Amino acid sequence: MSPTWVPVPDHSEFPLHSLPFGVIDPGDGARIVVAIGDHALDMRALAGAGLLDVEPGVAPALSSNDLNAYLSLGREAWGAVRGVITGLLMTGEAEIRDAGALLDPVEAVHLLPFVPGDFVDGYSSLEHATTMGRILRPEGEPLLPNWRHMPVAYRGTPSTVMVSGSPVRRPRGQVLGPDGMPEHRETAALDFELEVGFVVGPGNGIGRPIDIDDTADHIFGVVLVNDWSARDFQKWEGRPLGPNIAKSFATSVSPWVIPLDALTTAMIPSRPQSPQPLEYLRPSGDWGLDLDLGVDLGTAASAPMVVSRTSMRGVYWTFAQQLAHLTVNGAALRPGDLISSGTISGKAAGSKGCLIEATLDGARPITLPSGETRSYLEDGDTVVLRGSAPAAGIGLGEVVGTVLPAHD
Ligand code: CA
């Protein structure tokens, strides 16, 4: 017997034990929703019917237009809400129908579910960091000496974090021309980056580091992230500092935030680290994530083709370590901040999380079913990132983006 009275298709990404949060506009304004199968539960309608009075602040927070107030409430409130929604979806058909809270969101517009005040992009995949080191610094050791001692990162651009489906305009910027002189032009090396990010719940105050064993209290859930990149800008500007306009023009995230509470059976021992990191980076629990990940690439002339299949299982640095390191100096994170893994790649060909790796910076272009080749993305190309947690029996949704030509 189905555990819920809502019809949920077999193999749905969003069964009863997932309950991801998003924000949609069905045509009459934004509201927070929780996905169940192909439907969505309208949180404002539930709050209006008095069904979310489980903890102080929950009903007003879930009546908002984004998740930030709800994220600030913390794990106890999230657990109480999860319990109430689960109960309503099992035995509360009359209450939900009376509240008019069950939506069929097929035509709804997804909005960015949370408003990040900060976006941090990590570099957590050993395979990605190694290959990038070989491409960007062929003369030296692929990994810099700090890499195995801390989860290095750069600060991203929260103002251009966008929800899946938002078009991506090819950026103009500065590149080093063939004559050794800088040029102002559109990128000729537009890339995607397959990443998984987490959304911060309650923040810490300035001067109050988050202990690594308390990090789960500060993580609400997980999204897929496409950190679009202009590799020609990056190669020229990233000396000696990290990416700036090479990545600040667009970052796309999946529309549903998957609660960490839905991923408990996907948490596995993390990859062994050598050398052992400093004490503040040693968690006691399991922070590996058993997530299958993939990338499809389609063009105007070619149906989508799988260009990468990989996994988060072997990622070197974990979310807990990223959070502990980001706050070890007393820096504050706030509800809604987005912290991403950085590009996730495997070792094998066909498991790379970006084109600069998959094509070795254009040396080995990908051939599509239409016969076209790609070193980097062309205008009109569509990239789809996918993810799932097989052990938890849920999906992460997808991140879709189509490349538009540069502005004149
Ligand atoms: Ca990135």
Side-chain angles (χ1 to χ4, degrees), residues 121 154 193 195 227 247 342-343:
D121 189 10
Y154 75 95
E193 288 189 332
E195 308 192 7
D227 185 35
K247 289 165 182 278
T343 307

Side-chain angles (χ1 to χ4, degrees), residues 47-408:
L51 295 168
L52 294 178
D53 296 328
V54 285
E55 290 257 341
V58 164
L62 287 176
S63 301
S64 167
N65 293 339
D66 62 61
L67 284 169
N68 284 41
Y70 183 61
L71 297 173
S72 73
L73 296 178
R75 183 150 300 284
E76 212 165 301
W78 305 335
V81 168
R82 196 171 167 81
V84 165
I85 293 174
T86 303
L88 287 168
L89 288 171
M90 291 173 76
T91 59
E93 179 167 6
E95 288 98 320
I96 285 182
R97 291 207 188 278
D98 287 351
L102 189 66
L103 307 178
D104 185 344
V106 173
E107 298 295 319
V109 175
H110 277 278
L111 305 173
L112 189 62
F114 52 93
V115 182
D118 201 353
F119 165 38
V120 179
D121 189 10
Y123 203 43
S124 299
S125 160
L126 175 62
E127 285 68 28
H128 172 67
T130 304
T131 309
M132 288 300 283
R134 289 198 182 110
I135 293 171
L136 298 175
R137 293 183 307 277
E139 72 288 350
E141 281 292 312
L143 286 185
L144 292 174
N146 59 6
W147 195 89
R148 285 180 183 272
H149 293 283
M150 67 172 101
V152 296
Y154 75 95
R155 233 60 188 192
T157 307
S159 61
T160 46
V161 174
M162 316 178 298
V163 74
S164 170
S166 306
V168 175
R169 180 74 63 182
R170 178 178 299 276
R172 290 180 183 281
Q174 187 175 139
V175 303
L176 190 63
D179 58 356
M181 295 299 288
E183 294 175 1
H184 171 206
R185 62 167 171 78
E186 61 190 59
T187 177
L190 184 62
D191 203 351
F192 59 81
E193 288 189 332
L194 168 63
E195 308 192 7
V196 178
F198 68 87
V199 181
V200 174
N204 54 321
I206 294 174
R208 306 185 60 163
I210 298 174
D211 186 274
I212 192 148
D213 284 325
D214 295 334
T215 48
D217 292 341
H218 296 268
I219 297 176
F220 174 69
V222 166
V223 288
L224 292 168
V225 178
N226 186 346
D227 185 35
W228 304 89
S229 299
R231 301 301 186 188
D232 41 7
F233 300 178
Q234 185 178 359
K235 282 182 195 165
W236 173 225
E237 74 179 0
R239 304 173 186 174
L241 300 183
N244 183 18
I245 68 164
K247 289 165 182 278
S248 61
F249 57 95
T251 301
S252 306
V253 299
S254 50
W256 298 106
V257 186
I258 314 297
L260 209 55
D261 285 339
L263 290 168
T264 47
T265 53
M267 307 290 284
I268 55 173
S270 53
R271 181 170 178 163
Q273 295 181 325
S274 177
Q276 191 177 39
L278 295 174
E279 178 73 31
Y280 78 93
L281 290 173
R282 295 180 206 158
S284 48
D286 286 343
W287 278 96
L289 266 174
D290 182 9
L291 303 180
D292 285 347
L293 304 169
V295 184
D296 294 355
L297 173 60
T299 74
S302 179
M305 177 182 109
V306 176
V307 293
S308 178
R309 274 187 209 284
T310 187
S311 158
M312 195 162 179
R313 278 182 289 277
V315 166
Y316 195 88
W317 293 105
T318 66
F319 288 159
Q321 290 173 316
Q322 285 186 283
L323 196 46
H325 185 65
L326 283 168
T327 61
V328 67
N329 63 348
L333 291 171
R334 293 173 294 184
D337 286 349
L338 174 64
I339 317 295
S340 194
S341 60
T343 307
I344 297 173
S345 293
K347 227 174 199 163
S351 69
K352 305 302 182 185
C354 55
L355 287 175
I356 189 173
E357 277 187 81
T359 70
L360 289 177
D361 197 19
R364 283 210 309 244
I366 289 173
T367 302
L368 294 158
S370 57
E372 297 167 283
T373 59
R374 286 290 182 276
S375 296
Y376 285 104
L377 299 171
E378 304 277 337
D379 295 345
D381 289 358
T382 296
V383 177
V384 183
L385 311 187
R386 302 176 193 287
S388 64
I394 63 176
L396 305 188
E398 59 183 32
V399 189
V400 184
T402 298
V403 178
L404 299 185
H407 283 300
D408 288 337

